[in-house]
Amino acid sequence: ILFQIFDAFKSRLHDSNSKVNQIALETMHKMIPLLKENLSPVINMLIPAIVDNNLNSKNPGIYAAATNVIQALCQHLDNYLLLQPFCTKAQFLNGKAKQDMTEKLA
């Protein structure tokens, strides 16, 4: 059921409506401390949804919310769960998002 929930939620993280997108990111930020390691089965699906577009967003609210989500992931999940998806994102992103992901990896 976790896959079904986050599969539906993931599209809100890419929503073309910036308010919906930002609220989805802020909601994700609140869910991470509650779910912690239970997110491990969906982490490879979530990280691209969180990072793609959002870390390069010109909207300061979306960028800040995405940054907060990445920080919460780093605080509440084991690093080994984040290493591969962060490496993949850092390798293929550009701009500020690439810099942010590279800093998280370091």
Side-chain angles (χ1 to χ4, degrees):
I1 192 155
L2 193 67
F3 279 106
Q4 293 169 327
I5 292 168
F6 281 101
D7 195 41
F9 186 74
K10 161 180 92 164
S11 61
R12 300 293 62 88
L13 294 167
H14 287 295
D15 203 282
S16 59
N17 182 323
S18 61
K19 290 180 182 177
V20 171
N21 190 354
Q22 185 172 342
I23 290 172
L25 287 164
E26 290 168 356
T27 302
M28 187 74 228
H29 182 253
K30 293 175 186 172
M31 289 190 298
I32 293 167
L34 301 173
L35 295 173
K36 296 182 184 177
E37 300 301 321
N38 293 316
L39 287 172
S40 62
V42 294
I43 202 70
N44 288 324
M45 169 190 3
L46 283 178
I47 289 177
I50 293 163
V51 172
D52 295 351
N53 303 322
N54 296 324
L55 279 183
N56 274 331
S57 178
K58 291 183 181 6
N59 180 319
I62 290 174
Y63 174 77
T67 302
N68 288 340
V69 170
I70 297 298
Q71 186 61 38
L73 287 170
C74 292
Q75 288 176 338
H76 296 285
L77 273 73
D78 279 336
N79 289 337
Y80 78 90
L81 291 172
L82 302 173
L83 183 61
Q84 185 60 48
F86 277 18
C87 283
T88 302
K89 286 288 109 191
Q91 184 178 5
F92 294 108
L93 289 170
N94 56 36
K96 180 109 175 91
K98 183 176 189 99
Q99 179 183 344
D100 288 347
M101 292 309 296
T102 303
E103 286 174 8
K104 285 296 173 198
L105 281 167

